[in-house]
Amino acid sequence: MSYLVPLPVVIPLLAAALTLVLARYPVAQRLVSITALSTTLGVAVVLLVQASREGPLVVYVGGWPAPVGIVLVADQLSALMLVVSAAVTLCVLLYSIGEGRGDGSESTPVTIYHPTYLVLTAGVTNAFLSGDLFNLFVGFEMLLAASYVLITLSGTGVRIRGGTTYVVVSLLSSLIFLSAIGLIYGATGTLNLAQLAGRLDALPAELRLVLHLMLLLAFGIKAAVFPLSAWLPDSYPTAPAPVTAVFAGLLTKVGVYAIIRTETLLFPGGQVDDLLLVVALLTMVIGILGAVAQSDIKRLLSFTLLSHIGYMIFGVALTSLAGLSGAIFYVVHHITVQTTLFLATGLVERRGGTTNLDRLGGLARVAPLLGILFLVPALNLAGIPPFSGFLGKLGLLQAGVAQGGALPWLLVIGGTLTSLLTLYATMKVWNLAFWRAPRLADPHTPAGLPPIMVGATLALVALGIGLTVVAGPLYQLSGDAAEDLRQRTPYVEAVFPVGTP
């Protein structure tokens, strides 16, 4: 099944080229995009099954063996990320198509949207599959170049300003990452991740620490961990609803994925565990305090996004099997739930005319289904039993208690407090926008919501509930992936079956 490994990258890229050619045929564009992402999802599921049964699947691009050529590797972690990202991008695409139909325009979203969105998808999948540091950089640049276009769609002043901040910060992150790549190649003579797993260990401790911190700085900006996260609440909320949803759900998780690879494959041993624990605690607490202070739903959710990145970094920093398993499970949960909430917020804006809580009210009466579409993922995000958010947080908190020590216990307390404040913040939205007396901002807002938009959001709500139903097998899969990451041997031996040169 190794021949399937490049397809999650190749299919969206070919579809992007085809949709660009079909720019004057919006119906054909939509058909190509839906087919491409559906096929990508099917391939990702097959890869996950095979990686779970047989171990990592490897493809040497162009037939050049490692470390000469670029390597694509689908292990359990990357395959799991492929499945959830493909499901999310497909649902968001359907949502955006429904938005266009609801606006009564066959050309909405604009024709450039489909090829750009598909390039973004290819960049995400390439980052997950990359077995080479420079190819990982290429994946980041693909998704960032596409995101520059998507975040500024329609060209309003607010979006241009938000996009400018996003571009500047992203370029800074890319510059740091590229500098780290140059230094690592100069020090080791390779950029292949499996080969670096052995060669980095031989470097002087001080040099390893510098290279380690440079990578964490670059990936920390992309993941939006504190104090590298100030750009996100000013950038994401300005984009169209489907763009904000896919950004919030996926782009920061690519940074988290890169941090997981860095801490397990490249620099194991816990050199910076205490630093990461402090960063995780600050990200959790400061992020959720920012959310509580917001009166706009998009900004409030942007701050909860920042806050819950802290849970993932917490699990990675523990370095234990339980902590890493919890982090992987929580990444899958959070991609799904955070995307769902932003899609539901787009429906709120469409139905109520605004996302400002001071001007909303009564939505539960005029749009009860919309109320359910927001309430279920909100409770899930807050960690209310028996949802997957509760199970993920419980696993992380138990891992922190088992680890012991002052910092892990502070993280346990901070994680519990963050969960309670998340419940407060999301219920504030529910009470003000849905439950209190009607005060709709625009009395002329259409009473109905486009069925495709509602259906796509409902599908992600169902997926979030499904994660709860299959939490046992999913947690087992996360544990198996974490065990492979900690051992490193399955990954290295899959890339170099006859021994690392």
Side-chain angles (χ1 to χ4, degrees):
M1 290 292 180
S2 294
Y3 66 90
L4 293 176
V5 174
L7 293 185
V9 181
V10 173
I11 292 173
L13 284 179
L14 292 178
L18 185 55
T19 54
L20 193 59
V21 172
L22 297 172
R24 296 185 179 182
Y25 306 96
V27 175
Q29 269 195 329
R30 294 198 292 267
L31 180 61
V32 169
S33 299
I34 293 172
T35 302
L37 293 185
S38 299
T39 305
T40 301
L41 175 58
V43 171
V45 171
V46 174
L47 288 175
L48 178 59
V49 172
Q50 291 300 314
S52 300
R53 291 176 177 175
E54 302 176 7
L57 305 174
V58 179
V59 163
Y60 306 103
V61 178
W64 293 94
V68 177
I70 293 174
V71 180
L72 298 179
V73 185
D75 62 356
Q76 292 185 80
L77 174 61
S78 56
L80 181 59
M81 293 296 100
L82 286 178
V83 170
V84 69
S85 65
V88 164
T89 51
L90 177 59
C91 288
V92 173
L93 176 69
L94 294 173
Y95 182 98
S96 60
I97 291 172
E99 187 176 46
R101 287 192 171 185
D103 292 337
S105 172
E106 289 293 316
S107 61
T108 303
V110 293
T111 53
I112 196 63
Y113 176 85
H114 289 276
T116 307
Y117 188 82
L118 289 167
V119 170
L120 177 85
T121 303
V124 170
T125 55
N126 186 59
F128 287 148
L129 290 170
S130 179
D132 179 276
L133 263 186
F134 189 78
N135 192 42
L136 177 60
F137 173 78
V138 171
F140 273 120
E141 292 310 295
M142 287 170 61
L143 68 90
L144 289 174
S147 64
Y148 300 155
V149 178
L150 294 174
I151 204 170
T152 55
L153 281 179
S154 82
T156 62
V158 173
R159 287 179 183 172
I160 294 296
R161 285 193 296 272
T164 300
T165 301
Y166 178 74
V167 167
V168 171
V169 173
S170 298
L171 288 177
L172 175 62
S173 172
S174 297
L175 179 62
I176 296 171
F177 187 17
L178 191 59
S179 300
I181 287 174
L183 292 173
I184 288 172
Y185 185 77
T188 63
T190 184
L191 293 175
N192 182 279
L193 294 179
Q195 196 172 25
L196 283 172
R199 292 194 177 182
L200 285 170
D201 291 340
L203 296 179
E206 296 80 3
L207 179 57
R208 289 183 76 248
L209 181 59
V210 170
L211 298 176
H212 191 176
L213 292 176
M214 287 187 70
L215 287 179
L216 285 181
L217 180 60
F219 299 148
I221 294 174
K222 297 181 186 299
V225 300
F226 184 86
L228 310 173
S229 55
W231 58 272
L232 192 149
D234 293 327
S235 301
Y236 281 13
T238 64
V243 175
T244 302
V246 78
F247 279 21
L250 276 182
L251 297 198
T252 52
K253 308 313 181 301
V254 179
V256 173
Y257 170 85
I259 291 174
I260 292 175
R261 286 288 184 205
T262 300
E263 293 304 300
T264 56
L265 184 60
L266 300 184
F267 297 99
Q271 276 186 304
V272 296
D273 286 352
D274 288 348
L275 173 63
L276 286 176
L277 286 171
V278 172
V279 166
L281 178 62
L282 293 175
T283 302
M284 280 186 202
V285 175
I286 293 177
I288 200 59
L289 291 177
V292 169
Q294 302 305 310
S295 61
D296 181 89
I297 303 176
K298 287 184 178 180
R299 285 186 61 83
L300 184 149
L301 291 178
S302 295
F303 276 101
T304 63
L305 165 63
L306 299 181
S307 177
H308 286 245
I309 295 294
Y311 284 103
M312 305 166 206
I313 304 302
F314 173 31
V316 174
L318 289 176
T319 67
S320 64
L321 178 60
L324 194 54
S325 302
I328 294 172
F329 182 91
Y330 204 81
V331 169
V332 174
H333 148 80
H334 196 259
I335 288 174
T336 306
V337 172
Q338 195 75 50
T339 305
T340 308
L341 282 170
F342 273 102
L343 292 186
T345 301
L347 295 176
V348 168
E349 186 173 24
R350 190 176 187 89
R351 186 63 186 85
T354 183
T355 56
N356 190 320
L357 292 173
D358 296 331
R359 301 170 59 196
L360 286 170
L363 287 176
R365 301 181 186 180
V366 298
L369 178 58
L370 176 56
I372 295 173
L373 294 179
F374 184 90
L375 180 62
V376 172
L379 294 175
N380 201 343
L381 183 70
I384 298 299
F387 290 115
S388 58
F390 167 75
L391 299 174
K393 289 174 183 175
L394 179 62
L396 289 169
L397 297 181
Q398 287 178 333
V401 171
Q403 184 93 347
L407 275 176
W409 269 105
L410 279 177
L411 265 297
V412 169
I413 296 170
T416 305
L417 175 63
T418 298
S419 187
L420 293 174
L421 289 177
T422 301
L423 178 63
Y424 170 80
T426 53
M427 289 305 97
K428 181 177 77 170
V429 174
W430 170 260
N431 288 331
L432 296 181
F434 291 91
W435 196 248
R436 70 176 173 183
R439 54 177 75 188
L440 295 180
D442 183 3
H444 302 294
T445 299
L449 291 169
I452 297 180
M453 295 176 72
V454 174
T457 309
L458 183 60
L460 279 182
V461 172
L463 179 59
I465 296 174
L467 294 181
T468 303
V469 175
V470 300
L474 179 58
Y475 223 111
Q476 180 62 48
L477 178 60
S478 300
D480 293 342
E483 182 62 30
D484 286 349
L485 288 171
R486 283 165 51 82
Q487 289 182 0
R488 300 200 295 173
T489 306
Y491 188 99
V492 174
E493 290 184 347
V495 177
F496 295 105
V498 296
T500 307

